[in-house]
Amino acid sequence: MSRTKAREIALHLIFEMGFRQFEEESLDERLDEEIMASISGDIALYAGKLSAEQTQYIRSVVRGVAAHIGELDQTIEANAKGWKLSRLSRMTTAVLRLAIYEMRYVDDVPVGVAINEAVELAKVYDTEEAASFINGVLGAVARAEKPQDAPAEKKDESRAEESNA
């Protein structure tokens, strides 16, 4: 099972947060091998044993989203121009929470990958329109959080000019 599948399972668990409060015990319960096997008949995604790395990733991301949910929701509202969080589908909200968390806090997930994976998840679990909306919101978040430094060549030129002066 790849990181993409682990991300998809994490999305399911984050989606559940839209219906009930996050509980640490339920996370461990949901990732139990026997529970996963019992669900696998209905949802192929849950078939197969999770590696320790995948389980750690899922736990880390789900716990992180739960810990930062207020901040993530503020970021969504700030970048979803003209949309209140309450107007978004629970799946759209879950996808955005996951992607923004990855963009900010998961060092080995590049911003572009987080955005692309979010769009692909939206195509599977939401609508084509939601996928476009998610892409736009995440693009705005990425632009807002990207350092506004000058291009490297201009920095080098200005340093050279300063040393010549």
Side-chain angles (χ1 to χ4, degrees), residues 96 115-116 118-119 122 129-141 143:
L96 287 167
I115 293 171
N116 185 58
V119 169
E129 293 80 22
S132 295
F133 175 79
I134 287 167
N135 189 50
V137 171
L138 295 176
V141 171
R143 285 187 298 278

Side-chain angles (χ1 to χ4, degrees), residues 108-121:
D108 66 341
V109 176
V111 170
V113 170
I115 293 171
N116 185 58
E117 291 287 323
V119 169
E120 293 305 314
L121 285 168

Side-chain angles (χ1 to χ4, degrees), residues 58-80:
I58 293 167
R59 280 192 174 110
S60 172
V61 169
V62 173
R63 285 179 185 142
V65 168
H68 294 274
I69 203 158
E71 165 204 332
L72 299 171
D73 288 352
Q74 286 177 343
T75 301
I76 293 167
E77 283 203 339
N79 290 281

Side-chain angles (χ1 to χ4, degrees), residues 21-30 59 63 66:
Q21 187 171 349
F22 172 73
E23 295 173 0
E24 188 78 29
E25 303 80 37
S26 69
L27 176 60
D28 292 335
E29 208 174 272
R30 286 295 308 273
R59 280 192 174 110
R63 285 179 185 142

